[in-house]
Amino acid sequence: MKQLSDLIEFEAFDNLELMAKQIVEGFLLGLHRSPYHGFSVEFAEHRLYNKGESTKHVDWKLYARSDKLFVKQFEEETNLRAHLVIDTSSSMLFPYQDKKVSKMAFSVLCSAALIHLLRNQRDAVGLTTFSDKIELLTPAKLSLTHAHRLYAELLKIYNKEDLNLNRNTKFSENLHHLAEAIHKRSLIVIFSDLMGDDSPQEILEALQHLRYNKHEVVLFAVTDHDLENQFNFANRPSKFIDMETGETLKLNPSEVREAFSQKQTAFYDEMKLLCSQFAIDFVEADIRKPFKDVLQAYLIKRKKLG
């Protein structure tokens, strides 16, 4: 599965766990032929026994087979805690005609794939969703039961029939709440189109709150680059509807394309600059591009964290 459009004809989309596995396995096959082949992606249920520690959790059956002492690892021994955060406001449903090729679907699939990757590295993972308020906030856990719950929650987001228009975004307000709610140092991975009333400075202040509380942050700015950044709509009079407010505007795209594109570029350039000053990873995630761009950005961050 190279990119979101490849999923249109895939009948088993409702099995997110299977989809995540296929995305990750396809990505890892390519990874071995890339400059990133040094990343560790093996599942590690055991670690080597350290001389002098308790033998309570030594796996004696494995010792009998290997003649080496290994200790069973449990949830509290996970390498890292990660929280996946998804913006579920109405603008994330764009393009609205086909929910299988939308910013929401892209974010759901990327999150499902990251859950699979995180668990393979014995990292605990939690899930948060928000629009004008925080709708879901789970703890970060490693267990298989918890992973199944997260996949089920992601599927609800994808299939939810009442996830309609006029659900606005309160990005900064909700990230401030999240910063106070997550007490243990974590990797926070955010998927949002950043469409709302917040200025770049307000967005940064919320991200800084997470950094101040010792969290690492990766922000994926999810867009349909061709339509939303380049404004490549057909050159004919059209009516544009704000999916979050319902406001309408009639115009010919050719008349505003250049100015619109310049404004979008300026916004992203400002966000990149502000984030770079506070060690926040800002990554543009085009829903028309392969999933590997997101997974690779995550692995680069993960490797930096050890």
Side-chain angles (χ1 to χ4, degrees):
M1 296 299 168
K2 294 182 179 179
Q3 59 195 70
L4 189 57
S5 58
D6 295 334
L7 305 177
I8 294 175
E9 303 301 327
F10 194 79
E11 296 179 357
F13 188 87
D14 277 2
N15 189 337
L16 271 187
E17 191 170 358
L18 173 62
M19 294 299 299
K21 184 177 179 181
Q22 293 197 351
I23 291 168
V24 171
E25 287 179 353
F27 166 67
L28 295 180
L29 283 174
L31 197 64
H32 292 301
R33 297 189 292 270
S34 80
Y36 301 97
H37 64 275
F39 287 113
S40 172
V41 292
E42 296 299 320
F43 195 93
E45 290 186 343
H46 298 83
R47 62 172 172 79
L48 282 170
Y49 171 78
N50 295 316
K51 188 176 180 180
E53 70 175 301
S54 169
T55 58
K56 178 180 179 182
H57 298 303
V58 167
D59 189 332
W60 296 109
K61 290 182 180 179
L62 186 57
Y63 172 73
R65 297 197 304 270
S66 66
D67 202 31
K68 291 182 179 179
L69 290 173
F70 288 91
V71 176
K72 294 179 182 178
Q73 286 191 273
F74 296 94
E75 188 168 323
E76 61 270 18
E77 295 182 278
T78 56
N79 301 314
L80 172 140
R81 286 179 174 80
H83 287 269
L84 306 177
V85 183
I86 303 178
D87 176 355
T88 58
S89 60
S90 297
S91 61
M92 292 288 284
L93 297 170
F94 182 86
Y96 195 54
Q97 291 77 11
D98 188 348
K99 72 174 184 177
K100 285 189 177 179
V101 185
S102 69
K103 292 180 286 187
M104 190 84 77
F106 179 85
S107 300
V108 164
L109 260 295
C110 287
S111 296
L114 286 175
I115 290 169
H116 188 76
L117 259 181
L118 284 157
R119 293 195 72 255
N120 279 2
Q121 295 175 299
R122 287 199 64 79
D123 293 335
V125 58
L127 177 65
T128 297
T129 64
F130 73 92
S131 54
D132 58 341
K133 64 181 184 297
I134 291 180
E135 294 150 349
L136 174 71
L137 174 58
T138 79
K141 296 182 179 181
L142 178 61
S143 72
L144 182 59
T145 300
H146 183 69
H148 287 162
R149 181 198 171 188
L150 299 189
Y151 287 127
E153 294 290 353
L154 287 173
L155 196 57
K156 285 180 191 175
I157 298 168
Y158 178 79
N159 287 330
K160 199 170 184 181
E161 297 301 328
D162 62 349
L163 203 62
N164 293 323
L165 303 180
N166 303 321
R167 291 162 51 90
N168 62 6
T169 313
K170 291 187 178 179
F171 183 93
S172 300
E173 181 180 318
N174 285 307
L175 254 63
H176 282 300
H177 289 319
L178 188 64
E180 293 300 322
I182 300 176
H183 303 296
K184 294 182 179 178
R185 186 172 184 269
S186 303
L187 170 63
I188 312 295
V189 180
I190 305 166
F191 292 91
S192 174
D193 57 11
L194 303 177
M195 290 190 177
D197 296 329
D198 294 344
S199 67
Q201 190 61 47
E202 288 171 324
I203 293 171
L204 179 69
E205 287 173 3
L207 296 171
Q208 276 184 279
H209 192 173
L210 289 166
R211 292 290 292 130
Y212 179 78
N213 287 4
K214 309 301 182 185
H215 301 301
E216 298 290 336
V217 181
V218 180
L219 172 57
F220 288 108
V222 185
T223 66
D224 183 328
H225 187 82
D226 188 53
L227 296 180
E228 293 184 306
N229 291 28
Q230 299 300 318
F231 213 63
N232 285 328
F233 292 93
N235 292 325
R236 59 172 182 266
S238 305
K239 181 170 73 171
F240 291 86
I241 304 170
D242 188 316
M243 298 174 72
E244 297 195 4
T245 67
E247 293 181 29
T248 62
L249 189 64
K250 294 180 180 179
L251 53 84
N252 189 321
S254 62
E255 297 173 356
V256 301
R257 181 174 294 121
E258 185 176 354
F260 184 89
S261 182
Q262 288 177 354
K263 191 169 184 179
Q264 285 291 89
T265 299
F267 174 82
Y268 283 104
D269 286 347
E270 184 175 0
M271 284 301 309
K272 288 176 188 175
L273 179 61
L274 291 172
C275 287
S276 68
Q277 294 171 352
F278 294 92
I280 296 164
D281 289 21
F282 181 89
V283 183
E284 291 187 58
D286 183 355
I287 67 171
R288 307 288 175 175
K289 293 285 183 68
F291 293 112
K292 72 176 179 64
D293 293 348
V294 169
L295 299 182
Q296 215 161 66
Y298 155 74
L299 280 186
I300 290 170
K301 183 69 168 183
R302 180 68 181 82
K303 192 173 186 182
K304 289 178 183 176
L305 300 178

